[in-house]
Amino acid sequence: EIGVRLVGSEMCIRDRGAPVLSYFMLFWSPAVISQFINSINAFGSIHFKTLWKPLTAGEFKAFLSICLALGYVKYHDRATAFQDSSFGSTFIQRMMTLQRFEMILRSWHWEDTTTVSKEQKAALKKANPFWAVDSFSTMMASQCQQLYKCGQYIDVDEQCVP
C-alpha cells in the first residue's frame, strides 16, 4: 500500500489516482454490501410480501448513491427529488422510483432481524440498545483505525467533546 501524506496525517490507499468510489469501497466491501442485501431482502420479503422485488448489489449501490445525494442537496422533502419537475433530480429519477427507494429504506437492516423473536429482541435491546448495528459500527471503527493514521498534531474542536 502506498501512504498518501495529508496535512498531519496519513491515509493508506493503494492508488493515488484512484476514483473517489475506491475510497468509499474501502469501507463498503463486497462482504458488507452482501450482508446488507441479505438482511434487507429478508426484511423486505416479509413486510412487503408480493410487492418486494429482491434487491441486487447494483440497486443497493444506487440506493446508497441516492442517500448520499439527498444528504448533499437539500430538498423540502425526500419526495421532491423524485418528482418530474424543475425541483426534481434527473440523477435520482433515473436510478429508481420513490416507492422503491422508500421500500428499501424501510427494510434497511444490518442484522437479519426476521429470525429473532420479540422476546429475544427485547433481551438484546436491554443488554445493548445498539445490538442491531453493533458489529457494523465495530467493523467501521476498525476500518477507520486501519486506514487512517493521525499525525503528530491533532486539533480537537471543543464542540466534539461534550
Side-chain angles (χ1 to χ4, degrees):
E1 290 186 349
I2 299 171
V4 175
R5 189 84 177 134
L6 302 174
V7 178
S9 60
E10 187 174 305
M11 176 102 180
C12 301
I13 60 168
R14 294 180 184 89
D15 178 11
R16 288 182 216 199
V20 175
L21 183 60
S22 298
Y23 293 98
F24 183 77
M25 295 308 292
L26 289 172
F27 298 94
W28 292 75
S29 68
V32 170
I33 289 172
S34 180
Q35 170 135 358
F36 270 118
I37 290 170
N38 292 337
S39 297
I40 291 168
N41 280 329
F43 189 90
S45 64
I46 287 175
H47 293 281
F48 293 105
K49 301 187 185 340
T50 57
L51 292 175
W52 185 255
K53 182 183 97 183
L55 183 68
T56 64
E59 191 178 26
F60 182 64
K61 289 176 185 176
F63 169 78
L64 291 175
S65 297
I66 293 170
C67 289
L68 290 171
L70 290 174
Y72 182 73
V73 179
K74 300 299 176 207
Y75 292 96
H76 174 67
D77 59 20
R78 192 170 32 234
T80 303
F82 291 87
Q83 290 176 355
D84 191 19
S85 70
S86 59
F87 298 110
S89 167
T90 54
F91 168 77
I92 291 173
Q93 293 166 13
R94 288 180 188 155
M95 284 197 244
M96 70 180 59
T97 65
L98 175 61
Q99 181 185 13
R100 179 64 173 164
F101 179 82
E102 293 288 345
M103 288 173 73
I104 296 169
L105 186 62
R106 287 187 186 112
S107 303
W108 195 1
H109 287 78
W110 170 250
E111 295 288 346
D112 181 359
T113 59
T114 61
T115 59
V116 182
S117 71
K118 286 184 180 183
E119 295 79 20
Q120 290 172 318
K121 283 181 188 178
L124 287 166
K125 276 184 182 179
K126 187 174 183 179
N128 178 3
F130 300 104
W131 71 272
V133 293
D134 194 45
S135 63
F136 178 71
S137 175
T138 301
M139 183 266 313
M140 288 296 283
S142 174
Q143 282 294 93
C144 287
Q145 290 171 348
Q146 180 182 354
L147 295 170
Y148 188 78
K149 307 295 181 201
C150 293
Q152 180 178 0
Y153 302 104
I154 299 173
D155 182 19
V156 178
D157 190 309
E158 67 277 357
Q159 292 185 14
C160 295
V161 182

